[in-house]
Every structure is written in C-alpha cells, then in structure tokens.
Amino acid sequence: MATVPFISRLSWREYLALSGSFLIIILEAFIRIVTLGLPQPIIRFCYNRSKSLFNFLSSPQGRRSRSTKKSISTLIAQTSDFVDLCALYGYYAEEHIVQTGDGYLLGLHRLGWRKGEEAMRVNAGEGSIDKKVIYLHHGLLMNSEVWVCITEKERCLPFQLVEMGYDVWFGNNRGNKYSKKSTRFSPTSHSFWNFSMDEFAFHDIPNSIDYILNTTFQPSLSYIGFSQGTAQAFAALSTHPTLNDKVDVFIALAPAMAPAGLSNGIVDALMKASPEVIFLAFGRRSILSSATMWQSILYPPIFVRVIDMALYSLFNWAGRNISTHQKLAAYPHLYSFTSTKSVVHWFQIIRNGTFQMYDDEVQTLPSLGATDRYYKVAKFPTRNIKTPIVLVYGGSDSLVDINVMLKELPRHTTAKEVPHFEHLDFLWGNDLDTLVFPHVYQALEEFAGRDHTKRLFSPRHLRTGRLISSPVFRFSEDELSSTLGASDAEHEINGSMSRGHTVQQEKSSLSHGLGLRTGSIPSPTSASSTDQGTDGGNEGPPSKAQKMVSTMLRQESRHKRSESVASAKSQDSVGGKRRIGGKGISIGVSKATVGDVANQAAVSKGKR
C-alpha cells in the first residue's frame, strides 16, 4: 500500500502538537535575535529585574537557605573550565588532545594524582607509579564537566576514584565544548556537524581509548559511562571485537539503549515526524544552541526552575533527589553542543524500538509496496560484547526499560537497581555515595585490571564446554592431556562426573578452593587447604592438575608480595615475562599453558 509522508505517520493531534512546536521554535529564534542585538547594559538590566522578581516571590526561609549555601554553588556555577573545577577541590588535572581517524580533535581530561602526588610520575613507564586506568564518558548534550561540578567532594565519583589510587580519564564527544575542532571542516560548516552516534562508536570511543592506553602504558582500562555515554560504549564494543580486550569492565550508570519514548506530546510528535521536519526546525548544525542565551539573561534560580520544568515535561523527572544548591551549581554546566543529526538518530531509535545505526534512507517521498521487506537498518550487535557489563539503573528512570535492555545484551550482564533514582540522580543525587558508589566499587574490585578474555576449563566442564574465568591461565583439553597423559586426563573428567557434582557445585568448589571465579589469587594458607580437595573429605588425594594449579598460584602470590611495583613494571615491559617464586620458572603471563609450566618445572627440578 502506498504511504504518504506525514499523513500516514501522524494523527491529527500530533499535527497540532507539531504546529505548536514550530511556533515555539519561531518565538525562541525571534527572542534570540533580539537578545544578540541588545547591548550589554540592557541584558544586565533584564538579569537584575528577574533576580528582584524571584526574591520578591520567594519565601524568607528560601532566601536564607540560598544565602547559606550560595558560596560554593556560585563558585562552581561561575567556573567555566574542567581544570579549574578540579582545582576548586585541590586536584591537579591535565588536558589532552586526540585526533580521530576522520580528522576530529577531541579533548580529553585526566585526574591521575592524589593531593600531594602532583610531582610524581604516574603511568609513565619504568620508574613511575603504576595505577589502574578508568575512563568516564558523559551523556547527550553534555561534556566532561558534569562529572566534577559537585558541591560535596564525597559525592564526586572521580575524586573518590582518584583517592582510591586510580588514574581517571574523561572523554568528550566531537562538537562539544572541548572538541569543537577538525582538521577537515570548520565548525561553521554543515559538514562538521554531519555526525551521529555512529561516528561516536566508530571513531570517538575507540580512538580515545587507544590514546589513553598508549599514554599510560596499560593493557586495559575500566569504562564508566552515563546515559548516552553507555550507548556509545554498547555500540563501540559491539562493532569492534578487539576493543573488548582493552576494556576489562563496562559500568553503565543510567544506561540508555532503546528508550520507550517521551512524555511530552510536542516532542513525541517531532520524534515520529520525518527527519527533514526536524532538520527544518533546528537546522543541520548544532541543536539547541540558544540554551546559552537563556542562561545569560535569567537569574540562576529562575534558570533552574526553567530546566526543571523542561525535564518534567519531557521525561517526567521530578528532580527531588537533587538539592537546590546542587542544581544551582550543576545546571550551568549541563548543556554542551552536539549535532541535530545525533538527536535525530535517537528519535529513530525510539520510534523503531531498536538500538540501530543511523538510517540514511528514511522515506521522504511516496513509495509503493512494503519497503521493510527489502530494506533493514543495521542494528548494533550488542550480544557480541565480551567485556563484563554492570548496569546500575534507577527505578524511577523513564528512559530505562531494563527487561528490554537485558534481552539485547549478553548473558554475563549484571543489573543493579537503585529504587527511587531518576536519570540525572546518577550524576548529582543526594545519596550517590551510599546508593550508587558501592556498586561501582564492587565492579571495579571484581574486574578492573583482570584479563576477562582468558578462560580456565575445569575438568568437569571439559565435556560441557562451560568456562570459569581466570586472569592468567587457559587450560584446553589437549593441553591437559599432554600434561597429565591421556589416561590421567580421562580420569580427571570421569572422576568429577562420578562424584555427582552439578555445574554450580563445581563452580562453587573451584571458586572457594582456588579463588578463580573472580580472578583472585589465594593466600598460601587457602592454597594449602586446596590440596586437601575441593569437595570435602570424601574425594581422596588431590589430583595432579589440582596440585599444579595450586602450586603455581602460591608461587604467584609470593611473587606479588615480594616484588615492588617499580620492579614488576620494569620486568613486565620486557617481553611480557615474569619470574615466579624464585624457582627459575619464567612464563608469559597471558599465554602460558599448563604444559609449558609443567615441562619447565620438570627441567628446573632435574637441574637441581
């Protein structure tokens, strides 16, 4: 059946909403033009009049409350640079520039030093302090400042991570405040703004991660994203298989993938309309650039009220978990430039209910027949992600449908709910330090710095193909047979089967006895208890495989305690080799097999 643009897409109510949206856009454009032509004294006069009106209408108690907490909120609101925001709390920050494959210059920020460490070298090669790396990425229409414009240090996740000893980096999308530069296009051209989330996934995220790892001499980092920053990671990890080796854990705060829709009828009508309508309304360059104009002419409390009303109208967010003085500090840092095309991309995702790439062939002319039979927009293959994923979402977040999201993610994904949290609460909420940070710390403790690509076969799982994570070793059936002999290997398999273990019991026993499930290295005491068997006192003597693994783990544990960080860093940089336990066994940590270690151990023993 033939389809006609707009008429077949919208109802008559949505036509009215769409017409209303055009009137609002025209009115805003008129006000902006008038404002740009006004001299500065008149703008200050409007600002002061709005301030007087607000104070007159507000209660005495509200005025006293704002006066008490005005200093820090005003200071943060008036600070216009990431480095200066960090300096307010005494932290030294660096600025970096990375060039993407298609010529955009992205700004990166780095917080790698605790207070008092500013003169020390961190992750700079031999002789420097070795720290695990964390990468944080912002949401839609934002920049890296949203992570650090907090009124209390205890609620600032980056500051807490720095104090815990991490090297913390911050990304910025092309087009925003810190990334408005290209080697090919001018920001005044339409070509500069011709990007969507596809470009964020194909260039910005992978290129930023590569730059950070090359700069810090680290093999991997931990990714923490907020809102669209999580969607960009989903897209990048699903389309770059090798990127999964460089990200040891992905922590998604207020994750976004395929939101159900918006509560505002006007915007919902725009979302369902053709992209050409949106481009006609907002242009083909940056979207909502007039936000900076409103911020300059409105008294801050009024500006906060306007933003609150807009968020409630669009997403039904009440904002009760964010204090007024935190809003006064953070809302001036909320907006940053992005392309209209990237917003259109989200409208396509919401309209189609699928996490897809940008659709360049949206029908704008009448077409005959069912075109969906012959054309399908490419989806991001998110089930292919190998990196461990931890979702931390709000129970009152209208943009998150956790059940739909989990269906599109791999089985190893973990989801944790914060019951009453809304979307922006994960940046500036009152109880961040008690309700959200523990989930982040737990995920980092479990996965940060671990090589999730290496797996350990337990004897029970040699037949079933099930795997148990290990940070160092990979056992295959052939390697086990070559090391123990075919009969012993078969004995290991059959012995585990005859003991009547379920898969879960095997995983539990190995996790308890060898500490391998989370990649932890047991102490010599716990390792020696492993020699007694992992299944109570009914197993009999330990097998050769169990002895070999527990011996190597004890040696590795002694090695970690005996060597200094600088010495370990130096030896790791030479061929990826490490000395284990002073026994003269040198192995490549990421490639060693049981056979290699056993053969070298036998040679070493023969020499002695």
Side-chain angles (χ1 to χ4, degrees), residues 495-602:
S496 293
M497 296 284 286
S498 64
R499 287 193 294 268
H501 283 194
T502 65
V503 172
Q504 188 61 38
Q505 286 172 331
E506 280 293 335
K507 288 184 178 181
S508 177
S509 64
L510 281 171
S511 174
H512 178 72
L514 297 180
L516 292 176
R517 185 180 177 95
T518 62
S520 59
I521 301 299
S523 65
T525 304
S526 62
S528 63
S529 66
T530 304
D531 291 343
Q532 305 303 319
T534 61
D535 200 29
N538 300 325
E539 279 191 13
S543 67
K544 294 180 181 179
Q546 291 170 325
K547 285 184 176 181
M548 185 177 300
V549 173
S550 60
T551 299
M552 287 188 291
L553 291 174
R554 286 198 303 272
Q555 292 171 339
E556 178 70 1
S557 179
R558 288 196 298 269
H559 161 75
K560 285 179 178 287
R561 290 195 302 272
S562 62
E563 289 191 339
S564 65
V565 173
S567 175
K569 182 74 176 177
S570 174
Q571 292 186 7
D572 281 347
S573 65
V574 183
K577 304 291 185 178
R578 292 207 278 187
R579 300 284 296 178
I580 294 186
K583 298 291 186 179
I585 304 174
S586 179
I587 66 171
V589 174
S590 63
K591 299 180 180 178
T593 64
V594 175
D596 298 331
V597 178
N599 292 337
Q600 293 186 36

Side-chain angles (χ1 to χ4, degrees), residues 203-495:
H203 298 289
D204 293 11
I205 297 297
N207 294 160
S208 296
I209 289 177
D210 285 341
Y211 176 89
I212 293 169
L213 295 180
N214 290 335
T215 303
T216 59
F217 301 94
Q218 296 297 315
S220 65
L221 54 76
S222 303
Y223 186 109
I224 302 177
F226 168 76
S227 190
Q228 183 181 277
T230 69
Q232 293 175 209
F234 288 134
L237 291 169
S238 66
T239 54
H240 296 79
T242 57
L243 191 63
N244 289 263
D245 300 336
K246 302 173 184 178
V247 179
D248 47 48
V249 63
F250 167 30
I251 303 171
L253 304 179
M257 180 177 285
L262 304 177
S263 60
N264 183 275
I266 293 178
V267 181
D268 200 58
L270 275 175
M271 179 186 68
K272 294 179 180 178
S274 167
E276 295 301 323
V277 175
I278 303 174
F279 286 128
L280 178 63
F282 296 100
R284 291 186 174 271
R285 292 186 290 185
S286 61
I287 191 171
L288 298 178
S289 55
S290 59
T292 56
M293 177 267 296
W294 290 109
Q295 184 177 338
S296 65
I297 66 175
L298 292 178
Y299 182 50
I302 296 180
F303 180 73
V304 166
R305 293 285 179 90
V306 171
I307 296 296
D308 279 343
M309 289 188 294
L311 294 175
Y312 184 79
S313 175
L314 290 173
F315 309 109
N316 202 29
W317 299 338
R320 297 188 184 95
N321 297 323
I322 306 176
S323 65
T324 301
H325 71 281
Q326 177 61 73
K327 293 176 182 179
L328 289 169
Y331 279 5
H333 301 277
L334 178 59
Y335 173 81
S336 195
F337 299 103
T338 193
S339 67
T340 303
K341 186 176 179 180
S342 64
V343 176
V344 170
H345 191 175
W346 272 114
F347 284 0
Q348 292 179 352
I349 291 172
I350 295 172
R351 185 174 65 239
N352 298 327
T354 181
F355 190 51
Q356 64 180 47
M357 300 180 189
Y358 186 82
D359 186 0
D360 295 287
E361 298 190 28
V362 174
Q363 294 294 321
T364 57
L365 295 174
S367 61
L368 297 176
T371 56
D372 55 345
R373 292 183 58 187
Y374 308 103
Y375 173 68
K376 179 178 176 61
V377 183
K379 293 175 59 178
F380 289 108
T382 49
R383 292 180 183 174
N384 297 343
I385 298 175
K386 301 298 186 293
T387 296
I389 302 173
V390 179
L391 309 177
V392 187
Y393 67 99
S396 300
D397 190 348
S398 60
L399 294 182
V400 176
D401 188 332
I402 194 64
N403 294 322
V404 172
M405 190 175 297
L406 289 175
K407 289 179 181 178
E408 299 300 322
L409 292 174
R411 298 176 117 189
H412 59 256
T413 302
T414 302
K416 302 177 184 295
E417 179 184 0
V418 183
H420 63 283
F421 259 42
E422 296 173 339
H423 205 68
L424 292 177
D425 297 345
F426 286 90
L427 286 176
W428 307 315
N430 295 327
D431 303 316
L432 276 172
D433 51 337
T434 57
L435 298 180
V436 176
F437 291 0
H439 295 308
V440 176
Y441 300 154
Q442 180 183 1
L444 293 174
E445 177 67 23
E446 185 172 356
F447 297 109
R450 306 282 168 80
D451 187 355
H452 62 84
T453 64
K454 303 304 177 185
R455 301 289 181 175
L456 174 66
F457 278 103
S458 78
R460 167 67 177 88
H461 303 146
L462 288 176
R463 284 185 175 179
T464 64
R466 300 178 188 273
L467 302 176
I468 295 179
S469 299
S470 168
V472 179
F473 306 106
R474 180 187 178 94
F475 292 89
S476 70
E477 186 170 2
D478 293 338
E479 291 168 343
L480 188 63
S481 297
S482 65
T483 304
L484 303 179
S487 60
D488 287 340
E490 184 67 21
H491 173 73
E492 285 297 322
I493 298 171
N494 294 336

Side-chain angles (χ1 to χ4, degrees), residues 40-59:
Q40 194 65 29
I42 296 180
I43 294 178
R44 283 199 299 268
F45 174 81
C46 295
Y47 177 89
N48 291 330
R49 294 285 70 77
S50 65
K51 176 180 178 179
S52 300
L53 179 63
F54 183 84
N55 288 331
F56 175 77
L57 295 176
S58 60
S59 65

